[in-house]
Amino acid sequence: MFERFTEDARAVVSGAREGAVARGDGWVGSEHLLLAVLEDHSAVARALGELGLTAERVRAQLPGSGRGTPSDDDALRDLGIDIDEVRRRAEERFGAGALDEPPAARPAPWWRRGRATESSAHSGRPRFSPEAKKALELAVRESLRLKAGEIALDHVVLGLLRADGPATQVVTALGVEPAAARKAVLRLRRAA
């Protein structure tokens, strides 16, 4: 799928993965894709910045790093459990990284290295959440709808803003309508 992505779109997908790892999240979500776009310093990021969507503001809207899936974190919060406080107290008592997943016991045998497997969770590369997958699928559809021969950064943003997930929830929480952000990206695209 990524062979049709432009270099800047691939850089955003890679940046999202790196951002998820840096935050300690066990998945790559649409929120990570949004952050990677805003940290890109592209014309698209500047257009979104004019609407008030900046990496700093988006990052401030995200909950602290969790180690579970987004739905695990939400379920615990619904029960009144402060995940960040649990992590802080566990690390205070048992040391830094006490709740982190242990590293894989040993590397894959030579005949499996480089092959995609069902257990990519142990490869050190976090999986994409269903919302992030949907956003990337919608990016492909946006590219087709606009009759582009490739999937560019603006298509990724248009897909993100169409997908219903954490990224659009953050955009809305910051007082920006996803439709207004889509119009800004499309206006920028027409001007180019």
Side-chain angles (χ1 to χ4, degrees):
M1 174 173 157
F2 293 114
E3 61 274 356
R4 290 186 42 215
F5 278 58
T6 61
E7 190 174 318
D8 58 344
R10 284 184 199 172
V12 162
V13 173
S14 294
R17 183 171 268 142
E18 291 168 10
V21 170
R23 283 181 47 86
D25 295 330
W27 71 95
V28 180
S30 61
E31 65 274 28
H32 299 109
L33 287 167
L34 178 62
L35 273 173
V37 166
L38 296 173
E39 291 171 342
D40 187 56
H41 306 295
S42 64
V44 173
R46 287 191 298 276
L48 294 175
E50 290 173 8
L51 295 173
L53 295 175
T54 64
E56 296 77 29
R57 290 190 71 211
V58 167
R59 203 174 287 110
Q61 288 290 315
L62 300 178
S65 340
R67 298 294 192 246
T69 64
S71 58
D72 292 341
D73 291 353
D74 291 342
L76 291 171
R77 273 191 206 89
D78 287 347
L79 294 172
I81 297 171
D82 183 347
I83 298 164
D84 295 327
E85 178 64 14
V86 169
R87 176 166 295 286
R88 186 192 65 73
R89 291 177 72 184
E91 289 184 348
E92 183 179 280
R93 183 162 183 187
F94 302 108
L99 297 179
D100 293 349
E101 287 186 36
R106 58 191 151 134
W110 65 269
W111 64 86
R112 283 200 177 158
R113 291 186 191 145
R115 292 187 182 177
T117 65
E118 286 297 311
S119 62
S120 68
H122 298 295
S123 70
R125 294 177 59 171
R127 292 178 183 229
F128 284 88
S129 71
E131 296 85 6
K133 288 179 184 177
K134 183 66 174 179
L136 293 173
E137 175 188 321
L138 290 170
V140 172
R141 289 183 185 191
E142 288 289 340
S143 173
L144 293 170
R145 183 181 68 81
L146 295 168
K147 297 180 180 22
E150 58 195 8
I151 298 124
L153 181 59
D154 53 341
H155 301 122
V156 173
V157 174
L158 292 171
L160 268 173
L161 294 169
R162 266 184 66 195
D164 185 30
T168 53
Q169 292 167 2
V170 167
V171 168
T172 303
L174 290 173
V176 178
E177 285 297 319
R182 281 183 54 81
K183 284 180 186 175
V185 172
L186 288 169
R187 196 170 30 252
L188 179 68
R189 181 175 174 75
R190 280 190 296 271

